[in-house]
Amino acid sequence: MGGRTPPARMHVPRSQEMSALTLNANLPSRKPAADPNRITTDVLLVGAGVMSATLGALIRSLEPDWSVTVLERLEGPALESSDPWNNAGTGHSALCELNYTPRLPDGSVDVSKALVVNEQFQLSRQFWAHGVDHGMLHDPSSFINAVPHVSFVRGAENAEYLRLRHDALAGNPLFEGIEYVDDRDEFARRLPLMAEGRPEDETVALNWSQNGTDVDFGALTGQLLAHLADRGADIRYGHDVKSLRKNTDGTWKVKVRDRVRGGTLNISARFVFVGAGGGALHLLQRSGIDEVKGFAGFPVSGQFLRCVDEDVTARHEAKVYGMAAVGAPPMSVPHLDTRVIDGQRSLLFGPYAGWTPKFLKNGSFTDLPRSMRIDNLGPMAGVGLTSAPLVKYLVLELLKNQHRKIDELSVFAPIVEASDWELITAGQRVQVVRKKGWGGGLEFGTTVISAADGSIAGLLGASPGASTAVAAMLDVLERCFPGRIDGWRPQLKEIVPSYGVALQENPSLLADLRSWTDTSLGLV
């Protein structure tokens, strides 16, 4: 770090080591299965997205002797939420997302959520840098690239909010270097595509963070899963989990349909993680664990305008986030993003929300009704009664035609040629509905659900999602392996050195880690 390589792996006393046979001391030892349609595994990861890939890589580093099986219903990895075209790929670190820094009634700006998200993203950067240094990941430019993160507002009142936001963040080492820009010439120099054709009397302001990133979570996921396969993990695509049942010995019996060759596979797993994106709620409900009762999901689809014309993309190099319309949900924040996917630069603008009852892009129109249970009817009804602004927003979004979508783009880029942009369908988001009192509330974020005995866990929700996968999976390890986490801690500190540390309170460590991760990830 700071030009130095991370410290060498610390020795873990033999008494603290956990083999596959001691994953659960109450379980009998594994025996090789004679029937190829019946297998036993220590760790079963459902879904081949960034969450499962991250957890699998962490577990493989901590316990190389444990058997790991990955199941994915589609024909390859990262084809749903982790696909680079199915999300904005911002590398959410709260540098520019204004919904993480709301203005309070007294006029001040609440930055607490931004600090949490930024700390979590630092863990992801460290994990990826460690992966590059140790051969788990290769060619970091294939999955992460430096792109400034920018907040953008119009009007004097909003400019004052952005100045207050800058003042609230600038003194924190996590946001070191953030700038407030309201000079029109400087605005035009940094964002020429957004400046051209803009009225001269319009007040504009920016918060500019030079050290932002663009992340291709599809490429990242593919590399992590390839590493797992090289280390002996059993990865099976075209395999659809149909049921999960708890055995009397504490293991899980998982029935799987082979969608390619036909037939059924029965898996006995000691630990199950459900990282199936929008499909996670259904699977957790099928498991019957008490902890998922009262949870529901509200699906929202999305679209973006995409431009790959090099003359246009060359004039905008930033991820620029604006303000959500009054009454619109946080997920509606408009943004004009530079993307780097498969080495090609492009621009995305959106999102334009839509609605479908599907929980996955490749899901079924029965997904929403099949998720309804007696225990979550109240929460869903409560959301229906209290979320009128969301319903209104979705209705208005559905009524927008292509012309109106281009008009919204022109707020960011006043002079645009509609022919340069195409409309693409992004992934499905399933927002968490959680029971609150007699009713429920709609939550915008990610939620880890785990059984009391730690034998199964899953992830619900959306943004910041993939960007904070490492923090979420460390949470899973802490919840599900409380008797082992202390023994793993020294090794986890090698992989993510700020684990358990508040970087905003340790600026010198933060500086060292930034230097290390920037160098390893090719961001300097």
Side-chain angles (χ1 to χ4, degrees):
M1 291 166 279
R4 296 177 280 117
T5 57
R9 176 173 293 179
M10 296 177 63
H11 174 69
V12 179
R14 184 68 184 174
S15 60
Q16 293 182 7
E17 293 182 355
M18 297 293 167
S19 70
L21 299 183
T22 58
L23 177 59
N24 186 326
N26 297 320
L27 300 183
S29 299
R30 289 185 288 114
K31 295 181 180 180
D35 185 347
N37 292 321
R38 293 181 179 274
I39 65 173
T40 299
T41 188
D42 293 314
V43 176
L44 176 63
L45 306 173
V46 181
V50 69
M51 294 296 174
S52 291
T54 298
L55 182 59
L58 285 169
I59 288 177
R60 177 58 80 216
S61 296
L62 297 169
E63 297 293 348
D65 292 333
W66 286 5
S67 56
V68 176
T69 302
V70 182
L71 301 177
E72 168 59 50
R73 65 188 293 267
L74 300 179
E75 64 273 16
L79 295 180
E80 280 283 352
S81 299
S82 300
D83 183 281
W85 294 120
N86 283 347
N87 61 65
T90 300
H92 285 289
S93 47
L95 295 173
C96 59
E97 302 92 333
L98 297 179
N99 52 302
Y100 294 147
T101 54
R103 193 167 188 177
L104 301 177
D106 65 1
S108 63
V109 178
D110 180 4
V111 299
S112 57
K113 176 66 173 179
L115 300 182
V116 171
V117 172
N118 194 294
E119 288 267 11
Q120 292 176 333
F121 187 68
Q122 301 306 318
L123 294 172
S124 293
R125 283 174 56 108
Q126 294 161 39
F127 174 68
W128 301 336
H130 173 87
V132 171
D133 289 349
H134 291 79
M136 182 190 307
L137 300 170
H138 58 86
D139 185 13
S141 66
S142 66
F143 66 85
I144 188 168
N145 288 273
V147 174
H149 283 200
V150 184
S151 305
F152 162 67
V153 298
R154 300 181 300 157
E157 183 178 351
N158 291 333
E160 174 62 12
Y161 155 68
L162 217 56
R163 185 187 65 78
L164 293 172
R165 178 182 184 271
H166 165 268
D167 293 346
L169 293 172
N172 192 294
L174 291 169
F175 292 82
E176 181 182 5
I178 189 172
E179 302 175 72
Y180 174 74
V181 178
D182 60 2
D183 179 79
R184 288 296 296 261
D185 290 338
E186 187 63 17
F187 175 85
R189 185 184 72 81
R190 299 191 188 199
L191 299 171
L193 183 66
M194 294 182 62
E196 184 179 2
R198 190 169 296 279
E200 293 185 2
D201 61 349
E202 182 180 59
T203 298
V204 294
L206 308 173
N207 279 172
W208 185 283
S209 296
Q210 188 65 29
N211 60 341
T213 55
D214 171 74
V215 183
D216 180 341
F217 288 103
L220 175 67
T221 300
Q223 291 188 32
L224 290 173
L225 291 174
H227 167 76
L228 281 176
D230 288 343
R231 298 302 186 274
D234 182 8
I235 301 179
R236 302 184 180 221
Y237 299 113
H239 282 67
D240 192 10
V241 173
K242 306 308 293 183
S243 66
L244 302 95
R245 190 181 72 192
K246 188 74 172 291
N247 293 321
T248 56
D249 64 359
T251 60
W252 285 91
K253 179 180 180 181
V254 183
K255 182 175 289 188
V256 182
R257 180 169 65 93
D258 187 334
R259 302 179 69 191
V260 178
R261 291 175 294 273
T264 300
L265 179 69
N266 290 294
I267 299 178
S268 176
R270 298 172 176 234
F271 170 71
V272 177
F273 173 71
V274 182
L281 178 60
H282 283 147
L283 293 175
L284 289 171
Q285 288 175 329
R286 291 175 196 171
S287 74
I289 60 174
D290 291 336
E291 289 76 9
V292 78
K293 293 179 179 178
F295 280 90
F298 186 85
V300 179
S301 59
Q303 294 180 319
F304 284 89
L305 288 170
R306 176 172 64 187
C307 176
V308 296
D309 186 294
E310 294 181 359
D311 292 336
V312 180
T313 61
R315 299 171 59 232
H316 184 85
E317 186 173 358
K319 292 182 179 292
V320 181
Y321 273 55
M323 303 185 76
V326 176
M331 63 185 175
S332 68
V333 173
H335 44 98
L336 178 60
D337 286 3
T338 293
R339 297 301 322 272
V340 184
I341 298 173
D342 294 331
Q344 181 184 29
R345 302 183 72 85
S346 62
L347 296 179
L348 282 185
F349 178 78
Y352 302 101
W355 192 84
T356 167
K358 290 183 179 182
F359 277 8
L360 292 165
K361 192 173 181 178
N362 294 283
S364 167
F365 288 105
T366 65
D367 285 346
L368 178 58
R370 285 192 297 111
S371 73
M372 301 309 301
R373 302 285 193 276
I374 292 177
D375 58 79
N376 63 21
L377 285 176
M380 281 296 282
V383 167
L385 293 173
T386 59
S387 298
L390 174 60
V391 174
K392 178 181 177 181
Y393 162 74
L394 290 175
V395 171
L396 292 176
E397 286 287 293
L398 290 170
L399 294 175
K400 287 179 181 175
N401 56 26
Q402 182 83 351
H403 179 74
R404 289 188 61 190
K405 290 173 180 175
I406 292 293
D407 283 346
E408 291 193 0
L409 169 60
S410 67
V411 172
F412 278 66
I415 298 179
V416 294
E417 293 288 342
S419 59
D420 292 335
W421 299 79
E422 62 175 331
L423 192 66
I424 64 170
T425 300
Q428 284 288 99
R429 291 186 176 187
V430 180
Q431 306 296 152
V432 175
V433 176
R434 187 194 296 263
K435 186 176 182 179
K436 292 183 178 179
W438 67 268
L442 193 65
E443 298 184 353
F444 299 95
T446 51
T447 300
V448 173
I449 295 178
S450 59
D453 66 356
S455 64
I456 187 171
L459 192 78
L460 303 179
S463 181
S467 299
T468 56
V470 174
M473 295 305 98
L474 289 172
D475 185 17
V476 169
L477 292 177
E478 291 170 352
R479 289 169 179 245
C480 297
F481 301 95
R484 295 156 179 82
I485 195 68
D486 287 340
W488 289 341
R489 200 173 302 277
Q491 201 165 343
L492 287 172
K493 292 283 288 183
E494 296 169 24
I495 299 171
V496 279
S498 71
Y499 175 53
V501 177
L503 285 175
Q504 59 182 302
E505 299 173 5
N506 293 270
S508 61
L509 175 60
L510 174 59
D512 279 351
L513 292 175
R514 273 183 174 155
S515 178
W516 163 50
T517 57
D518 281 351
T519 300
S520 294
L521 296 174
L523 300 176
V524 291

